[in-house]
Amino acid sequence: MVLPGRWFGDNAPVLDAVLTGIASAWVEVFSLLDGVGAQSRIATARGVFLDIAAQDYFGPQLMRRVAEVDVAYGVRIQQNLVRPRATRASVVRALQDLTGRVPVVFEPRNPADTGGYNLNMGYGLAGGYGSLNLPYQFLVRAYRPDALPVGNASGYAVGPGGYNTAPAFYADIAEFQGNISDAEIYASIAAVVPTTSIAWTNISN
């Protein structure tokens, strides 16, 4: 637009090709720089760069699940970077973030859990048996996530299902991203409890 029109006119294919080639190269460079900038932050990183960030911060403890999308994986990485640790509340929060269900935590040396005489106590209704012989120990009942259809399906050539008959069906790979193993539940507890304590854990549906 700034070149003298009387020199080149409106039809200058050679000049247009030269200028377009230069412009295209700079567009690619700008796009590359824009992409590199996005990968330098977990909130905007995508693809393998998220996996690299997780490896840098957590090693093999926070791997991407099967079919887990970038957005969900990025959220998990950020949650674990700033997660509170070494408290009862941190155990509850970690399990709730992981499974979507609130666990039950019972401390045998905590009167608020066990109840007391004429206080927050009833056989089979409230409270529980306490013990002073269990220092730095507590009991956790964690719950597996709800609504995991793949977990209820029988395998290929295995089980009582039939064509178009429950519990057999074709599952999409996207359905596996909600599957959380018991090992992952145990690991999430181990990652937040104090090193001097023992969390006796029961996992239930």
Side-chain angles (χ1 to χ4, degrees), residues 76-134:
R76 283 206 301 130
I77 293 171
Q78 292 181 72
Q79 283 177 337
N80 282 278
L81 279 174
V82 296
R83 183 174 301 288
R85 301 179 193 280
T87 65
R88 174 179 177 150
S90 67
V91 173
V92 173
R93 179 64 183 272
L95 289 172
Q96 191 171 1
D97 287 344
L98 180 66
T99 65
R101 303 176 69 182
V102 179
V104 176
V105 177
F106 180 83
E107 297 179 65
R109 292 174 63 109
N110 186 350
D113 288 343
T114 63
Y117 187 68
N118 285 335
L119 175 66
N120 189 29
M121 185 177 178
Y123 186 74
L125 297 175
Y129 287 103
S131 174
L132 296 178
N133 296 323
L134 297 172

Side-chain angles (χ1 to χ4, degrees), residues 153-177:
S154 47
Y156 184 73
V158 177
Y163 185 70
N164 282 336
T165 303
F169 55 85
Y170 287 105
D172 187 90
I173 192 169
E175 295 180 273
F176 284 90
Q177 64 182 323

Side-chain angles (χ1 to χ4, degrees), residues 16-184:
D16 289 345
V18 171
L19 295 180
T20 301
I22 295 171
S24 297
W26 281 110
V27 166
E28 289 299 320
V29 170
F30 181 81
S31 177
L32 178 62
L33 288 175
D34 193 43
V36 169
Q39 306 315 319
S40 65
R41 299 291 181 268
I42 293 175
T44 54
R46 294 293 179 264
V48 69
F49 293 96
L50 274 177
D51 299 82
I52 292 171
Q55 285 277 351
D56 284 345
Y57 286 108
F58 305 106
Q61 277 75 43
L62 196 69
M63 305 297 288
R64 188 189 293 260
R65 299 188 188 116
V66 175
E68 187 172 25
V69 297
D70 290 340
V71 174
Y73 192 35
V75 168
R76 283 206 301 130
I77 293 171
Q78 292 181 72
Q79 283 177 337
N80 282 278
L81 279 174
V82 296
R83 183 174 301 288
R85 301 179 193 280
T87 65
R88 174 179 177 150
S90 67
V91 173
V92 173
R93 179 64 183 272
L95 289 172
Q96 191 171 1
D97 287 344
L98 180 66
T99 65
R101 303 176 69 182
V102 179
V104 176
V105 177
F106 180 83
E107 297 179 65
R109 292 174 63 109
N110 186 350
D113 288 343
T114 63
Y117 187 68
N118 285 335
L119 175 66
N120 189 29
M121 185 177 178
Y123 186 74
L125 297 175
Y129 287 103
S131 174
L132 296 178
N133 296 323
L134 297 172
Y136 312 112
Q137 301 180 48
F138 59 100
L139 293 85
V140 179
R141 172 164 287 175
Y143 297 100
R144 297 181 182 94
D146 288 324
L148 296 178
V150 174
N152 296 326
S154 47
Y156 184 73
V158 177
Y163 185 70
N164 282 336
T165 303
F169 55 85
Y170 287 105
D172 187 90
I173 192 169
E175 295 180 273
F176 284 90
Q177 64 182 323
N179 282 339
I180 295 171
S181 67
D182 289 356
E184 192 170 352

